[in-house]
Amino acid sequence: MIDLFYMQELPVAVMGLGKSGLATARALRDSGAEVRVWDDNPTSRAAAEAEGFAVVDLASADLSDLTTIVWSPGIPHTHPKPHPVAERARALGIELICDIELLGRAERDCAFIGITGTNGKSTTTTLIGHILAAAGRKAAVGGNLGTPVLTFDHIGSGGTCVLEMSSYQLELTHSITFDIAVLLNITPDHLARHGGMEGYIAAKKLIFHRQTWPRTAVIGVDDEHCRKIHADLVAAGDQRIWPISAQGPVAGGVYAADGWLVDDTDGEAAKVVELSGLPSLLGAHNWQNAAAAFATCKAAGLPVPAIVAAMATFPGLAHRQQLVGTASGVRFVNDSKATNADATEKALATFDPIYWILGGQAKDTGLNGLEGYMGRVRHAFLIGEAQEQFAAWLDAQGVAYTRCGTLDVATAKAAGLALAERLEGSCVLLSPACASWDQFANFEKRGEAFAVYVANIVAAHESTGDGTSGGVA
């Protein structure tokens, strides 16, 4: 755990007691700080009290001796309406920071890589961490990704913190200047929390705050908002700037073109890896992630062959287009995290032909927007509460389907048909476009169950000696 030595004997409050909030409270207490905690949720307060923390209502308690409140980024502190504790703290001149700011103050000797964007942050962050580790670099990976940063081991000189940064966290992190800062893309999101689109863009731009040479800005240029930020950075000329694109050539950057990842950061437009050779980074949305990770790791001083070799072994994120097995050329892909049509669209755009497993608790938007991908679907296999609703939708699209009810039945039927037909490039795809709660506790449990069913199917297929299998990934 990170040693917050500079907080020893100081009074400090923690507002919000989720996973990161509790980790923060523990780190502060272990470092000798006088810790007070609060959460509006009584269950969270009870959990903290059970660990021996002083639970104090920050909306009414005396805060006069505090200089700092470590704030959960998920709690509004400005828009759409600031939490009363935030208003009270600011009136008293108490700083609001998040746990990542505490990390920055404690780990002044390590390198910092920050990744933000509306989409792709988690994949890119994890991929960068994977490459650095494969190259023998000491790296800690966390932040918005889910690993609380104050649970890291001491990093120190020669180590690197690879941090996924949400717009909320960027607003509450003041002292870190990222050695390499990555902005992938910007599309409308969380607008109420930022007072509109301009506020959201301004929060994302904070990833580049105070960067000067030789620090590097890696920035996607496939949307108009990021193109404007890129132009502004170029005009200011404060840092090294490498643009990235999944849509084609960008001078002086890294991009996807003609099925290759191309490196033009040295002005040579060198093809570095064939994108089809990166099985966990399929689809145009992942090409941007691959370009960003390559550029970041090159900026961090890793040799190109080491970067490419590590990218090829990246296992992907669990439950996000995760390859969990192959048999006779049929791929089995777990995209359980796709709980709505927008998320499922990315998977449908990636594979062809598809034996599609879908259903669960439908969202209000249903399958709207997926009509253009139905030509890729060889057969659909329906599960859960949405079965009849989705059957009607598929009828309207002229897509063949089977009502299966449960995931085990759907997986078996989809595998049976795919392995019987053995079409080139075929994929059994769990991308439900639904919440999981009708049959599973969460999307993770759903994806884990799918992976188990696939493992059994692959093992049985191998035991028959019927064709070749790549085994379970």
Side-chain angles (χ1 to χ4, degrees):
M1 184 175 286
I2 297 296
D3 183 4
L4 305 175
F5 57 90
Y6 57 90
M7 299 296 292
Q8 188 172 4
E9 298 184 0
L10 293 177
V12 60
V14 176
M15 178 66 185
L17 296 171
K19 188 176 179 181
S20 291
L22 273 177
T24 298
R26 294 183 192 116
L28 286 163
R29 181 172 62 185
D30 291 350
S31 300
E34 179 198 319
V35 186
R36 306 161 201 174
V37 303
W38 182 256
D39 193 296
D40 292 335
N41 185 326
T43 302
S44 298
R45 296 199 299 268
E49 199 163 38
E51 291 196 34
F53 288 107
V55 177
V56 177
D57 186 350
L58 301 177
S60 58
D62 180 8
L63 307 182
S64 60
D65 61 339
L66 290 179
T67 59
T68 301
I69 297 178
V70 186
W71 194 265
S72 169
I75 302 172
H77 57 91
T78 52
H79 303 285
K81 181 181 180 181
H83 191 282
V85 173
E87 291 184 307
R88 196 166 174 236
R90 290 201 170 103
L92 293 168
I94 300 170
E95 67 171 355
L96 300 184
I97 61 174
C98 69
D99 58 336
I100 294 175
E101 173 65 16
L102 289 177
L103 173 74
R105 295 177 185 183
E107 292 285 347
R108 296 190 178 275
D109 296 328
C110 72
F112 282 93
I113 296 173
I115 302 94
T116 198
T118 306
N119 299 300
K121 297 186 295 297
S122 295
T123 297
T124 302
T125 301
T126 307
L127 177 56
I128 291 168
H130 173 79
I131 296 168
L132 290 171
R137 293 281 187 92
K138 180 181 179 182
V141 182
N144 193 58
L145 186 65
T147 302
V149 298
L150 296 180
T151 64
F152 291 170
D153 292 332
H154 173 60
I155 302 151
S157 179
T160 303
C161 284
V162 184
L163 304 176
E164 178 183 327
M165 299 292 296
S166 71
S167 53
Y168 303 163
Q169 290 167 323
L170 285 166
E171 288 183 326
L172 296 167
T173 303
H174 311 302
S175 68
I176 294 177
T177 302
F178 290 105
D179 297 280
I180 305 168
V182 182
L183 172 58
L184 295 166
N185 46 61
I186 295 178
T187 55
D189 200 12
H190 307 305
L191 299 190
R193 269 293 301 269
H194 295 288
M197 192 67 189
E198 289 307 309
Y200 180 55
I201 293 170
K204 289 297 189 186
K205 285 173 66 176
L206 291 171
I207 197 80
F208 304 118
H209 184 53
R210 288 197 309 268
Q211 273 198 317
T212 54
W213 288 87
R215 296 181 177 92
T216 302
V218 175
I219 181 168
V221 292
D222 290 341
D223 64 83
E224 60 176 322
H225 303 299
C226 286
R227 283 193 291 272
K228 173 64 166 59
I229 295 171
H230 173 260
D232 291 345
L233 293 177
V234 170
D238 290 332
Q239 71 273 74
R240 179 169 63 176
I241 303 162
W242 285 354
I244 58 167
S245 175
Q247 299 177 358
V250 285
V254 179
Y255 55 89
D258 301 322
W260 285 83
L261 191 66
V262 181
D263 175 16
D264 192 46
T265 58
D266 298 321
E268 298 178 356
K271 293 181 177 179
V272 292
V273 64
E274 200 165 6
L275 290 162
S276 62
L278 305 176
S280 295
L281 294 166
L282 300 175
H285 64 290
N286 273 322
W287 298 347
Q288 186 184 57
N289 301 333
F294 179 92
T296 298
C297 292
K298 183 175 180 181
L302 297 186
V304 169
I307 299 172
V308 171
M311 291 174 74
T313 63
F314 178 56
L317 268 62
H319 316 298
R320 301 186 191 188
Q321 293 188 33
Q322 177 191 16
L323 181 67
V324 294
T326 60
S328 294
V330 176
R331 292 170 291 179
F332 293 81
V333 174
N334 168 21
D335 194 39
S336 183
K337 195 176 189 299
T339 58
N340 57 48
D342 286 344
T344 289
E345 180 182 13
K346 294 179 174 62
L348 294 178
T350 299
F351 304 101
D352 186 11
I354 298 168
Y355 300 81
W356 184 21
I357 301 171
L358 71 158
Q361 278 192 349
K363 301 294 179 70
D364 291 342
T365 53
L367 299 177
N368 293 342
L370 301 181
E371 294 84 356
Y373 298 97
M374 291 305 100
R376 295 169 173 255
V377 177
R378 182 74 176 172
H379 198 99
F381 301 84
L382 296 167
I383 65 173
E385 290 179 7
Q387 184 168 261
E388 295 306 318
Q389 174 187 340
F390 285 4
W393 189 92
L394 291 166
D395 274 332
Q397 304 303 316
V399 176
Y401 61 85
T402 300
R403 294 177 176 87
C404 300
T406 58
L407 181 57
D408 56 339
V409 174
T411 306
K413 288 185 177 295
L417 183 57
L419 290 169
E421 295 186 339
R422 296 194 188 187
L423 300 177
E424 183 178 354
S426 59
C427 173
V428 173
L429 173 67
L430 170 65
S431 191
C434 280
S436 60
W437 301 313
D438 56 336
Q439 296 182 346
F440 297 92
N442 49 52
F443 73 81
E444 291 95 341
K445 294 297 184 185
R446 179 171 60 189
E448 290 164 5
F450 176 70
V452 170
Y453 302 148
V454 169
N456 292 335
I457 290 167
V458 170
H461 187 74
E462 287 179 328
S463 69
T464 65
D466 183 18
T468 59
S469 171
V472 178

